[in-house]
Amino acid sequence: MAACRALLAAGRAAGVGGRRGAAGSAPGPGPAPRAGAGDGAGPVAGRSRLYEHVREGLSARPQLDVTALSERDVERRRGSLGGAALREIVRTWSRLGQVRDGIARLEAEKGLVAQGVREILASHDKAAAKTLPELAALRERGRSLRGQLRVLEAEASDLEQRFYLGALQLPNRTHPAVPVGDQSQARLLEVAGEKPVFDFKPKGHLELGEGLDIIRQKRLSHVSGHRSYYLCGAGALLQHALVTFTLRKLLSKGFLPMTVPDLLRGAVFEGCGVQPSANPSPVYTIDPARFEDLCLAGTSEVGIAGYFMDHAVQLQDLPVRVVCSSTCYRAETDTGREPWGLYRVHQFTKVEMFGVTAAERGTESEELLEEFLGLQKEIFSELGLHYRVLDMPTEELGLPAYRKFDIEAWMPGRGKFGEISSASNCTDYQSRRLNIMYSGEGGRLRHAHTVNGTACAVSRMLIALLECNQLRDGRVQVPPVLQPLVGQEVLARPPAPLLRYIGPNQPGGGPPEHGGVP
């Protein structure tokens, strides 16, 4: 009995009972920070497919470390949130922690109250126990605790949702050596290869491809829409040769080959730092009336990350290096930029490198990024390209990259360099969202780091190869390393066109009248 009285007295002294506690005030010393967004600086409202995925119980909650991000990091990146939003997200997280602590204390006290009720019932018969004021007080205290818990749990649910809706839009931290600004501030690190010199005016890849009858992009709007294309004959052989050459190169370096789904849930995209719900969206979404939350991948990086999602790798097996050839789908919304040719297209084949590494020393992912960059340079040098390596500035990093290197190849038909690859160190940004872990000594789990890099984006590689290896008469030399795979040293125009256009409004074209047989 004395224990029951002490329990009730302790509850009153803790200040977690009564009307004030029921209103959801935070237990503990000092005033609670504001959790609301009434000052207009709160997280941007919207949909988070990853958070919905978590609420459905399909994955663990993202373990986001917002306190490691500075306002300067957020302000210097190109994104929807600024420093004021970060401050509000941190305040929301702080308040959520206080509310969860309060819930834990109330749950602990509720357990003690239940234990006290059981002790009274065990030491008295049922009729006598009902008359005891201590039992009535304990039951009243239990009802009060349950009411307080309902209030705090509702507040915790609201705070958690507001936190994740904002925090999942935040970028990664930024490497201190990254240049600040837009693309014009990219730092030139290296120029490699010899720039091709012509004694004639070089043609663009589309003119060359049409002349050789290996690229078709005309009269396709009624077939596959704009920004589409066909590769045929030697054009198709060049694509397969590039993929095969790149895969062989990376397999010899110990990469694990993988094929991945083209259709993935929006949660995986968001975990990788791609926002499928953005407007306009860079992602093709399949009809949600028929397929729940499925999107077409713009890079196999998303599928590979999904493979490791909610899994742990043994420390001794790291780093894991994966190579994947896949079809990539991009919703190029800026139709005014290079609407013709293969530079900006809706669909292309790409060979991607992806790495999962440890974070024991803190430098593993930076070392893997340098390794990927070295492999990219090796591939492009063997193909005979003239290229430059750029350390990309803050506004060009995207959300997940801590640091990103781009490689641009010289494209004579465009008269300038054009991007053919990028390599990014995403540190633990993706792994914290997708629960990608590694197991160290004693089975201790830590968040892995992820690195990705383009090994060969076929459409842009074709631009550089065709334009840099063209001859005066419109033929194109095949790089020596690709000749055994293509079966030709020089691409020449076929003796006659394969097709003659007979569409509507063409003299002598179209189907016979009345649908009869001529």
Side-chain angles (χ1 to χ4, degrees):
M1 303 290 278
C4 293
R5 286 192 291 271
L7 173 64
L8 292 170
R12 287 191 293 271
V16 292
R19 298 182 57 84
R20 186 172 178 227
S25 61
R34 287 183 61 258
D39 60 0
V44 176
R47 179 185 182 189
S48 168
R49 301 194 192 193
L50 180 55
Y51 185 60
E52 293 170 8
H53 196 74
V54 167
R55 292 291 292 267
E56 292 170 10
L58 298 174
S59 186
R61 276 172 168 71
Q63 301 297 309
L64 309 180
D65 186 8
V66 294
T67 58
L69 193 64
S70 71
E71 290 185 34
R72 184 170 60 179
D73 282 333
V74 175
E75 295 287 355
R76 288 177 171 178
R77 303 288 277 267
R78 184 180 294 169
S80 58
L81 302 185
L86 175 62
R87 290 195 297 273
E88 185 60 34
I89 290 168
V90 172
R91 284 196 291 267
T92 301
W93 177 250
S94 175
R95 174 59 183 164
L96 178 59
Q98 293 175 338
V99 171
R100 285 174 172 170
D101 288 344
I103 290 172
R105 284 192 285 269
L106 292 176
E107 288 283 5
E109 186 184 351
K110 190 176 76 166
L112 293 174
V113 168
Q115 179 183 346
V117 170
R118 288 192 299 270
E119 290 175 355
I120 290 176
L121 293 176
S123 58
H124 299 77
D125 62 65
K126 190 173 182 180
K130 287 182 177 180
T131 64
L132 294 175
E134 290 85 351
L135 180 63
L138 283 173
R139 285 177 168 170
E140 175 61 29
R141 182 63 184 153
R143 284 191 290 270
S144 173
L145 290 171
R146 288 192 293 273
Q148 294 177 60
L149 280 169
R150 283 194 296 271
V151 172
L152 286 184
E153 285 165 355
E155 183 181 1
S157 178
D158 175 68
L159 287 168
E160 182 185 270
Q161 177 169 311
R162 284 197 283 132
F163 169 73
Y164 280 118
L165 288 179
L168 288 171
Q169 299 179 59
L170 291 170
N172 197 353
R173 295 172 294 113
T174 306
H175 191 286
V178 168
V180 177
D182 59 17
Q183 189 166 3
S184 65
Q185 301 304 310
R187 181 184 296 120
L188 179 63
L189 300 179
E190 181 182 352
V191 178
E194 295 184 6
K195 183 177 180 180
V197 178
F198 304 96
D199 58 1
F200 57 90
K201 183 179 179 180
K203 299 175 182 178
H205 69 282
L206 194 56
E207 183 180 359
L208 288 164
E210 290 173 343
L212 294 170
D213 211 6
I214 62 174
I215 300 175
R216 176 182 163 193
Q217 200 172 45
K218 291 180 179 178
R219 299 181 294 276
L220 292 182
S221 60
H222 67 302
V223 175
S224 52
H226 296 289
R227 296 186 184 274
S228 60
Y229 61 97
Y230 282 82
L231 298 176
C232 56
L237 291 177
L238 270 173
Q239 170 164 306
H240 292 303
L242 283 167
V243 171
T244 300
F245 165 74
T246 307
L247 285 175
R248 287 179 178 176
K249 167 73 66 178
L250 296 177
L251 291 177
S252 71
K253 304 290 186 180
F255 277 70
L256 171 70
M258 185 178 290
T259 63
V260 299
D262 289 335
L263 286 169
L264 296 150
R265 296 192 64 158
V268 189
F269 285 81
E270 193 170 331
C272 287
V274 180
Q275 300 288 336
S277 300
N279 187 22
S281 174
V283 175
Y284 285 114
T285 300
I286 305 301
D287 181 6
R290 296 183 59 202
F291 305 98
E292 183 183 0
D293 188 28
L294 284 178
C295 306
L296 281 167
T299 170
S300 60
E301 171 193 344
V302 182
I304 303 171
Y307 178 84
F308 289 97
M309 181 179 182
D310 294 319
H311 283 78
V313 183
Q314 293 295 322
L315 176 60
Q316 60 266 27
D317 295 329
L318 295 176
V320 178
R321 302 171 181 85
V322 177
V323 59
C324 178
S325 173
S326 71
T327 303
C328 303
Y329 304 89
R330 302 283 176 92
E332 291 282 0
T333 56
D334 190 355
T335 56
R337 298 177 62 188
E338 303 188 67
W340 296 102
L342 305 186
Y343 196 80
R344 296 188 184 277
V345 288
H346 288 309
Q347 174 182 329
F348 60 95
T349 298
K350 179 162 70 82
V351 181
E352 180 78 0
M353 299 180 288
F354 189 90
V356 178
T357 188
E360 298 293 297
R361 293 179 284 105
T363 60
E364 290 93 335
S365 57
E366 293 186 46
E367 293 164 3
L368 192 59
L369 177 66
E370 290 290 344
E371 179 185 324
F372 280 15
L373 179 62
L375 289 169
Q376 290 173 326
K377 294 192 293 184
E378 186 175 330
I379 290 168
F380 303 147
S381 294
E382 290 188 22
L383 290 170
L385 296 180
H386 174 57
Y387 62 86
R388 64 183 185 182
V389 183
L390 303 174
D391 189 359
M392 299 307 291
T394 52
E395 293 183 21
E396 298 296 319
L397 295 183
L399 292 180
Y402 176 66
R403 193 175 196 180
K404 181 164 80 85
F405 297 124
D406 278 5
I407 294 183
E408 297 181 341
W410 178 250
M411 299 179 178
R414 303 173 78 234
K416 58 182 178 180
F417 286 95
E419 180 190 343
I420 58 171
S421 77
S422 65
S424 300
N425 179 6
C426 298
T427 61
D428 61 356
Y429 184 91
Q430 295 173 331
S431 64
R432 284 184 173 275
R433 285 156 173 76
L434 296 176
N435 194 34
I436 301 173
M437 313 289 286
Y438 71 92
S439 178
E441 294 182 5
R444 179 177 56 95
L445 291 177
R446 294 189 62 184
H447 288 99
H449 282 202
T450 58
V451 178
N452 65 79
T454 307
C456 178
V458 169
S459 56
R460 293 195 179 181
M461 289 294 289
L462 288 176
I463 296 174
L465 291 177
L466 292 176
E467 292 182 359
C468 289
N469 293 286
Q470 62 182 293
L471 303 174
R472 177 185 289 273
D473 58 4
R475 295 180 301 155
V476 174
Q477 290 181 326
V478 179
V481 294
L482 298 182
Q483 290 175 10
L485 299 169
V486 177
Q488 302 175 49
E489 295 182 5
V490 178
L491 305 183
R493 181 179 176 85
L498 299 176
L499 299 174
R500 179 174 66 88
Y501 183 56
I502 56 169
N505 306 317
Q506 299 299 305
E513 292 185 5
H514 312 299
V517 178

